[in-house]
Amino acid sequence: MSAHRILALLELVASGGINPKAALEKLALDPFESLDFATIDHHRSLRQGFPEVVFGSGKSAAQIVAIAECLAAKDDGFLVTRVEPEAREALTQRFPQAVSNEMARTVRLVGASPPPVGSGVILIVTAGTSDLPVAEEASETAVAMGNVVHRLTDVGVAGIHRLLARADDLRSARVIIVVAGMDGALPSVIGGLVSCPVIAVPTSVGYGAAFSGVAPLLTALNSCAAGVTVVNIDNGFGAAAAASRITHGT
Amino acid sequence: MSAHRILALLELVASGGINPKAALEKLALDPFESLDFATIDHHRSLRQGFPEVVFGSGKSAAQIVAIAECLAAKDDGFLVTRVEPEAREALTQRFPQAVSNEMARTVRLVGASPPPVGSGVILIVTAGTSDLPVAEEASETAVAMGNVVHRLTDVGVAGIHRLLARADDLRSARVIIVVAGMDGALPSVIGGLVSCPVIAVPTSVGYGAAFSGVAPLLTALNSCAAGVTVVNIDNGFGAAAAASRITHGT
Amino acid sequence: MSAHRILALLELVASGGINPKAALEKLALDPFESLDFATIDHHRSLRQGFPEVVFGSGKSAAQIVAIAECLAAKDDGFLVTRVEPEAREALTQRFPQAVSNEMARTVRLVGASPPPVGSGVILIVTAGTSDLPVAEEASETAVAMGNVVHRLTDVGVAGIHRLLARADDLRSARVIIVVAGMDGALPSVIGGLVSCPVIAVPTSVGYGAAFSGVAPLLTALNSCAAGVTVVNIDNGFGAAAAASRITHGT
Amino acid sequence: MSAHRILALLELVASGGINPKAALEKLALDPFESLDFATIDHHRSLRQGFPEVVFGSGKSAAQIVAIAECLAAKDDGFLVTRVEPEAREALTQRFPQAVSNEMARTVRLVGASPPPVGSGVILIVTAGTSDLPVAEEASETAVAMGNVVHRLTDVGVAGIHRLLARADDLRSARVIIVVAGMDGALPSVIGGLVSCPVIAVPTSVGYGAAFSGVAPLLTALNSCAAGVTVVNIDNGFGAAAAASRITHGT
Amino acid sequence: MSAHRILALLELVASGGINPKAALEKLALDPFESLDFATIDHHRSLRQGFPEVVFGSGKSAAQIVAIAECLAAKDDGFLVTRVEPEAREALTQRFPQAVSNEMARTVRLVGASPPPVGSGVILIVTAGTSDLPVAEEASETAVAMGNVVHRLTDVGVAGIHRLLARADDLRSARVIIVVAGMDGALPSVIGGLVSCPVIAVPTSVGYGAAFSGVAPLLTALNSCAAGVTVVNIDNGFGAAAAASRITHGT
Amino acid sequence: MSAHRILALLELVASGGINPKAALEKLALDPFESLDFATIDHHRSLRQGFPEVVFGSGKSAAQIVAIAECLAAKDDGFLVTRVEPEAREALTQRFPQAVSNEMARTVRLVGASPPPVGSGVILIVTAGTSDLPVAEEASETAVAMGNVVHRLTDVGVAGIHRLLARADDLRSARVIIVVAGMDGALPSVIGGLVSCPVIAVPTSVGYGAAFSGVAPLLTALNSCAAGVTVVNIDNGFGAAAAASRITHGT
Amino acid sequence: MSAHRILALLELVASGGINPKAALEKLALDPFESLDFATIDHHRSLRQGFPEVVFGSGKSAAQIVAIAECLAAKDDGFLVTRVEPEAREALTQRFPQAVSNEMARTVRLVGASPPPVGSGVILIVTAGTSDLPVAEEASETAVAMGNVVHRLTDVGVAGIHRLLARADDLRSARVIIVVAGMDGALPSVIGGLVSCPVIAVPTSVGYGAAFSGVAPLLTALNSCAAGVTVVNIDNGFGAAAAASRITHGT
Amino acid sequence: MSAHRILALLELVASGGINPKAALEKLALDPFESLDFATIDHHRSLRQGFPEVVFGSGKSAAQIVAIAECLAAKDDGFLVTRVEPEAREALTQRFPQAVSNEMARTVRLVGASPPPVGSGVILIVTAGTSDLPVAEEASETAVAMGNVVHRLTDVGVAGIHRLLARADDLRSARVIIVVAGMDGALPSVIGGLVSCPVIAVPTSVGYGAAFSGVAPLLTALNSCAAGVTVVNIDNGFGAAAAASRITHGT
């Protein structure tokens, strides 16, 4: 149960819209709930502004659906990432109203009261077309967490005029997520053009000495533009979660 | 010349405090200036809110002083990081009013009009006493860029009650910088306790399979707390620059 | 033939329950036995308290069954780990009474006289649901070697209250096996909360810079909690074998 | 303040040897104490059976002495590892009764009431003469934590008869710590000979493809003897702390 | 055409068994022969005592058969390693008299006049059953190159008595090839027991921190037994070729 | 639109072959064109002498065809590398006149006015038969960019006479591309024999400690022959692009 | 003796300026000359257009001087790279006319007839001031080998307008050497702006995850600008040698 | 005591040159001898044909001298490798007749009855002058173990005619040790030219991507010449020990 939903509930009590006893029942959650194979953290949105996100990889379809049901039972909505086809099928059958994004490998359900919208735009920039799945994961996550998302696609440094032509988009963002594989040079260039926070997501796009994303990861970590931060390879989800922490700060 | 200083100048013109011709002269900077061994980027604070920071490592004392003079000549102030003793000596002799922090390995000069103060507190947390030099670099950088800095020292996960006892400090920060070597577990734990942005700085503290900071770097990149971002090993400067981008956003 | 079974035999001789000649025959094992493709170490349980465990990976179903038969022929029982489906099928067909655990990828047969029960509880803790197969392998091994096993599931550090709420379980164990992938921060946190031996099993859960388990492996090796020891990535078997050495000590 | 010292105090109260008020004062410790650069964890021995051990590397002599004073002020005794010469000098001058071991790079002070003695012998085995400093660190730590320590030196696998001749020593130990660099083959061989817990400490002895201890680290992690656990390269301290957790279990 | 076959031809000429012109024709090879996709080195057996061996991996079945035909056309015999099923099928169909060894992934054809037999026995020792395919490749190669091969299987260091019981076999070999994965401790132990050359073949048997054979490779390179040499991971072929260079020396 | 095509157009205007207005229309390209998932860089051939090459890996067949259509619409021709079978099928169906090379994994379309032919021969040398696919990619690229290509196949250093016999071919080239896996020794040897530029392409041919091409990559980077340059593992395309920059220089 | 010097000699003979016998003597070099510790390759300039360059690292001052004398005795001039202070002292004392460049760590002697000048300008670009020593080594080498060298200093991507302002310099070069450490993003950006060959020299400038130059090395190898080639970390010499092969081609 | 010395003693007994009792005393060695810090293996020469060699690195001068005395007391002679200056001084003062080789970093003492001379020549080839210290270590070791050693210096592949000119030397050797750093291409080339065993010693000569010898190590492990074996980086000692095992075989 998220902080803003608890607040809404309390205001409802104050206004007489609900009697205290009923409110108590709604509030009386344990901080976590134990399934056989998982311990659901029901207080995460109180602490972090968003419910626990389910990492689909390595979990069976049955496990994922059970966890999703446990979250949905609190009207919280859910977001599942890295969903394999079988689990996607199971989830969308169980929750027909859920949004399934195949390229992003995500399924999400909007909760009873969606999270407050963060301040400013999260701009997601990709270096190349092959980086799109990671950008999609970032986009789905950012939207789920209550953010306005813009996109800039395939503007890698090999043709830098494509990027410079979009300087206005870059400068008007509150946070920029830069998704880039291979040489990973784009975050440094963008970091040098703007004053807002820049989060680099190295991707596993490339081959040979790209070492499944190690090359752009190192590039981003060594960015000569001060203040670029980095998340794990292909971690579109993490970048969006970090960006959402920024847009929801006060 | 920073954006806010240009604004101040224009207001001075508007109020008659300076005549337009003199103002023009002050404004007539080239966007960059070429020394023999460096190309100073005088527009960086316009683009990024803070002048170019000088990375002292691998530069001679004479080169560093010359670059510092070039920046100071624009009344901009400067920040030099990774200063070796010889260069520190030369800088403090040339700029007696500069602030020299030996543990942080920094020298900084406050410019004619300091940068605007960011919104909220930057909290710098260290896992152990040996992580202090990196935390000091972060602190010096954050202060130079116009930030309020708080500290929490030696609260590593081996005695987690030390951390939990300080939950209020953690929850009231606008951004948290977590400096940790060895196992680097602290950013994940803090990331799970708060909703504000968390920036991990892995340090080279440790030995053997710490691999000069690779171990805590990987730990931070794989943080199971969503939304932790990471900078290079021992990069206190970069973490503070990223944090300052957040506190100065609008 | 295990030490305690030899003892039992000798006591039987002493009490006249078997005549010496028959006992001799039972004892007259060669220390090892040569198949075409394997050399079975029949004295291992004398030296180490448990018969040779068969590592199923890279062996054909036929080879595994033959080795199992060779062990079972001595009434020793057996444990096969990393069993591929084809070999599992063959083993369970040949030994219908064997216990097959698909998630753990193990098949085990209880011997004529099971091993003595170790002192105290082995507690197996997992950071996330995806770590369960490794925990299962540890559990199967620990049970096979004569141990009482308890479990604590999905209590990773991103929601640390889930762990702290179970402090009593942690403190009452004789040994704790901590199974964790991704950032692998859990062993350090647990190591700081208890005084009993803690054995970390890094898992290959994760992606990108988790490098198939290298990240949590390094985290565990650099644990800032003193006295955490580590086994190979995904090596639930080894952790349980080590824990059983502890519970069976005197 | 350690658990057994608190018990002794309570017994003293029970027997009238101290009045409750004075006892209270002695007990009224904060769980931790904040210096400027460190947060001393005074409850660690309650949780883990031994006070916080000071990792000397990366700390100034002044910092180390201040932390040691803070621990000694509670009559707890202390152990400092990885002490550089300057800090050693400062410590032994401030605490003349402290035990300084140059080869081990440790300084330790016996507290007012030493820890209870663990059950059984900790046997420390080294593969070669160059591994001795790590073995010394392990020995100093084990003794400080209340253990009986035996030694077996320079019995590497290149002359395996040296090891086999000492089988009795190996078999009578409660725990064996095996310290080995280069090929690191010794832990596997010993692990195959005994049934007690074996803790491998890979060392940085060697050159070239030993990669400062990575080679023996990998060897130990892949030990074909079941149940060998591993600590960080050159981490004699950690191995002894783990062994002491075993000997002090119940 | 091998040296000993040329010699035989010349002796035949001397004895009138063949006329010079016919002999010339047989001798009139170019030193190499160009196919579209390969340049066959027909002088390799003159320089190295054995014809070019075909590395099957990455070549199409058609290419392999064409190269084999080109070699067979000189009556030289051939050895193909790392043969995929499709190429194996094609080769055995084309050369029904060829020896196909599925576990070794080799196909070989005995030439018109087999190579001279080397002096002494090549002993191939394996640490575990899963190392057998590599040992088979070594065996096929050694036999093809004219050697007497003995075997010792599954005598890894976890049960070292299995090895010590075979000391006579070890001591009577001219060269020993030791095939071992996981910890790779066996070559060091054997190297310490014998005075003959020992060639270690690390294998990719294992998982996790075995890193597909890197662990036993490093173990072998750092062997504390003087004079152990090493070949590439899983390179049974190379080890046998090296051993054959030793047995064929004078 | 390439530089030479613009020149041709302008000459046509000068000679009256086209009226200025029509010419303007042809010239009035935006410097780039935005699809939903890609931003086509139409000025690349102006800047670099050749249109943007499409990296097929990680793109869907539909995306590749759409990009190819966008390029072909400008009469530019195109080159797609790393084409998976499905995309190859789609491309050749849509552009029946395109040249598809299965071994090279390329599809290319000759544009309305092919690029000018570079000066001198690009010689592509391979160490072994298994290196051919990479050499094919290099060849297709070089031809597409307007070059004369010669080939030398399977002349690795294990039979160095095969190489020395072709010294004339080596010495008459303008640039040499050396494609080699495994030990990657060939670029150094060739670099020592000629004075023209030598570009090494390490390949992923090999196994074990070849580490998917890392071994020959390092060999090439450390070439003791001065002036050998290197491209990414298996990057036949990049080597040819670099060679073409040399042959098209003035 | 270089090709052009032999030609000059032959022309002198033709014109009667020297008698054939004396010319013969001058020509009668062995192809190489054996010192006790070195084998001087006197035909290297015939094969490669420039005499053997002496790699100073790991050689004693006496060895370097002896090799230099051996080269100078043929009137060839010499270039020594990576000269330690002691050897520099010895060389400049023995060859007072030699050019010593301390920042570049080179000493070179102009030969009797300097090499022919290559066609076009070699432009050496550095990302930062700390990259200058490597750029100096490249410059000294290029000059020694007969090239016109231009420079562009400190134009890294964090302030990309500094680079774009110099587009003319970039476009007029025959070859560009880009020297960059840390993120190493500059070669990709430049590679996308020009059509001439671009050679990247990654440098060891940086710290932490720069891994002594590995980060910019990987960046360069994965450049998304087609046709960038790479040399070893800090290898200014190799880049210049490769560039000179290009400028001296025909 | 070596095998051949025991034989000589027995022959002396047979001939009456010594009485049995005195002979017994000479023979009555323990198989090993325990110092405080070392366990001397007195039977090593019986097993391996040469006494234990002392690895000087990481041992104090006092320890080394004590071990040497212990070996010398059995008239065995000794070889110490990797001797630091202080230990060298101590050894040569204690054993004035010992042979000290500063470049090789060895000190050796010829025993009372030197080892039998192996059959054939050990040829030690170096790629460059900087590889000489490793070659010296190999040479000292080979001589100490009773071998005839020839040398070929600075014949790296950048000038391959230097090597080809020495084909006779190469072909007449019994074993060839090839010492090479940087690209490490020489062992492959030599392995392709000869039929005798070739042992590669990669060296740490080089910089950057040579990674302290990893590059030539990988090159050697992936040698495309069949039958090249490899020892650790800079391990001249190990290569010579392996070669001596070959020359002393029967």
Side-chain angles (χ1 to χ4, degrees), chain C residues 52 60 71 75 99 102 120 130 134 136 139 142 156 161 174 185 248:
Chain C
E52 193 171 357
S60 71
L71 288 163
D75 288 349
V99 179
E102 197 173 331
S130 307
V134 176
E136 282 295 319
S139 180
H161 60 301
R174 174 68 185 96
H248 287 79

Side-chain angles (χ1 to χ4, degrees), chain F residues 18 24 62 70 113 119 167 177 192 221 250:
Chain F
I18 188 174
L24 180 68
C70 181
S113 89
S119 69
I177 294 172
L221 286 168
T250 50

Side-chain angles (χ1 to χ4, degrees), chain G residues 59-181:
Chain G
K59 296 193 180 75
S60 70
Q63 288 174 334
I64 293 175
V65 168
I67 297 173
E69 281 173 339
C70 181
L71 289 163
K74 311 292 176 195
D75 290 349
D76 261 354
F78 61 74
L79 171 64
V80 190
T81 64
R82 308 258 164 167
V83 187
E84 299 296 323
E86 192 195 337
R88 167 185 314 286
E89 183 74 16
L91 275 172
T92 50
Q93 212 152 352
R94 175 67 188 78
F95 302 97
Q97 72 281 37
V99 179
S100 167
N101 181 328
E102 197 173 330
M103 184 180 258
R105 290 185 292 166
T106 56
V107 177
R108 67 180 158 90
L109 182 74
V110 181
S113 90
V117 176
S119 69
V121 166
I122 296 179
L123 178 67
I124 302 177
V125 183
T126 51
T129 301
S130 307
D131 299 316
L132 280 177
V134 176
E136 282 294 319
E137 189 188 72
S139 179
E140 285 289 325
T141 303
V143 166
M145 290 180 170
N147 291 283
V148 179
V149 172
H150 289 187
R151 304 282 290 269
L152 217 48
T153 298
D154 193 23
V155 293
V157 302
I160 209 163
H161 61 299
R162 296 179 299 191
L163 183 71
L164 300 175
R166 307 297 291 271
D168 284 354
D169 292 307
L170 294 171
R171 296 224 175 94
S172 62
R174 176 68 185 95
V175 200
I176 302 179
I177 294 171
V178 187
V179 182

Side-chain angles (χ1 to χ4, degrees), chain F residues 8 11 19 35 43 64-65 67 79 84 87 93 112 181 185 191 197-198 203 233 240 247 249:
Chain F
E11 280 163 356
N19 67 51
L35 306 186
H43 273 199
I64 293 175
V65 168
I67 297 173
L79 171 64
E84 299 296 325
Q93 213 151 350
V198 173
T203 71
I233 297 161
T247 61

Side-chain angles (χ1 to χ4, degrees), chain D residues 4 26 28 37 61 93 132 138 144 148 152 186 190 212 218 226 229 232:
Chain D
H4 63 99
K26 278 186 177 297
F37 48 82
Q93 212 152 353
L132 279 177
V148 179
L152 216 48
L186 192 56
I190 290 179
S212 306
L218 297 187
T229 61
N232 195 3

Side-chain angles (χ1 to χ4, degrees), chain H residues 102-122:
Chain H
E102 197 174 330
M103 184 179 260
R105 291 185 292 168
T106 55
V107 177
R108 68 180 156 90
L109 183 75
V110 180
S113 89
V117 176
S119 71
V121 165
I122 296 178

Side-chain angles (χ1 to χ4, degrees), chain F:
Chain F
M1 184 172 264
S2 59
H4 63 101
R5 289 190 52 217
I6 293 178
L7 191 67
L9 187 69
L10 294 177
E11 280 163 356
L12 212 61
V13 175
S15 67
I18 188 174
N19 67 51
K21 210 162 168 182
L24 180 68
E25 205 156 282
K26 277 189 179 294
L27 277 169
L29 306 163
D30 278 326
F32 55 86
E33 181 178 353
S34 290
L35 306 186
D36 223 39
F37 48 84
T39 307
I40 315 295
D41 180 359
H42 284 308
H43 273 199
R44 189 156 300 181
S45 57
L46 270 180
R47 290 196 322 277
Q48 303 196 343
F50 194 76
E52 192 171 358
V53 174
V54 185
F55 177 64
S57 175
K59 298 195 178 71
S60 70
Q63 288 174 334
I64 293 175
V65 168
I67 297 173
E69 282 172 338
C70 181
L71 288 163
K74 311 291 175 194
D75 289 349
D76 260 355
F78 61 75
L79 171 64
V80 190
T81 63
R82 309 258 165 167
V83 188
E84 299 296 325
E86 193 195 337
R88 166 187 314 287
E89 184 75 17
L91 275 173
T92 51
Q93 213 151 350
R94 174 65 188 77
F95 301 98
Q97 73 281 35
V99 179
S100 168
N101 181 328
E102 197 174 331
M103 185 182 258
R105 291 184 293 166
T106 56
V107 177
R108 66 182 159 89
L109 183 75
V110 180
S113 89
V117 176
S119 69
V121 166
I122 297 180
L123 177 66
I124 302 177
V125 184
T126 51
T129 300
S130 307
D131 300 315
L132 279 176
V134 176
E136 281 296 319
E137 187 189 72
S139 180
E140 284 290 327
T141 303
V143 167
M145 291 181 170
N147 291 283
V148 179
V149 173
H150 288 186
R151 303 284 291 268
L152 215 50
T153 297
D154 192 23
V155 294
V157 303
I160 208 163
H161 61 298
R162 297 179 297 191
L163 181 71
L164 298 176
R166 305 296 292 270
D168 284 353
D169 293 306
L170 294 171
R171 296 227 173 93
S172 62
R174 175 67 185 98
V175 200
I176 303 177
I177 294 172
V178 187
V179 183
M182 298 178 83
D183 59 17
L186 193 56
S188 290
V189 172
I190 290 179
L193 291 173
V194 302
S195 64
C196 77
V198 173
I199 299 169
V201 191
T203 71
S204 53
V205 169
Y207 58 91
F211 296 130
S212 305
V214 169
L217 171 63
L218 296 187
T219 310
L221 286 168
N222 289 286
S223 174
C224 55
V228 171
T229 60
V230 189
V231 296
N232 194 3
I233 297 161
D234 288 338
N235 190 4
F237 157 68
S244 192
R245 285 179 181 235
I246 293 171
T247 61
H248 287 79
T250 50

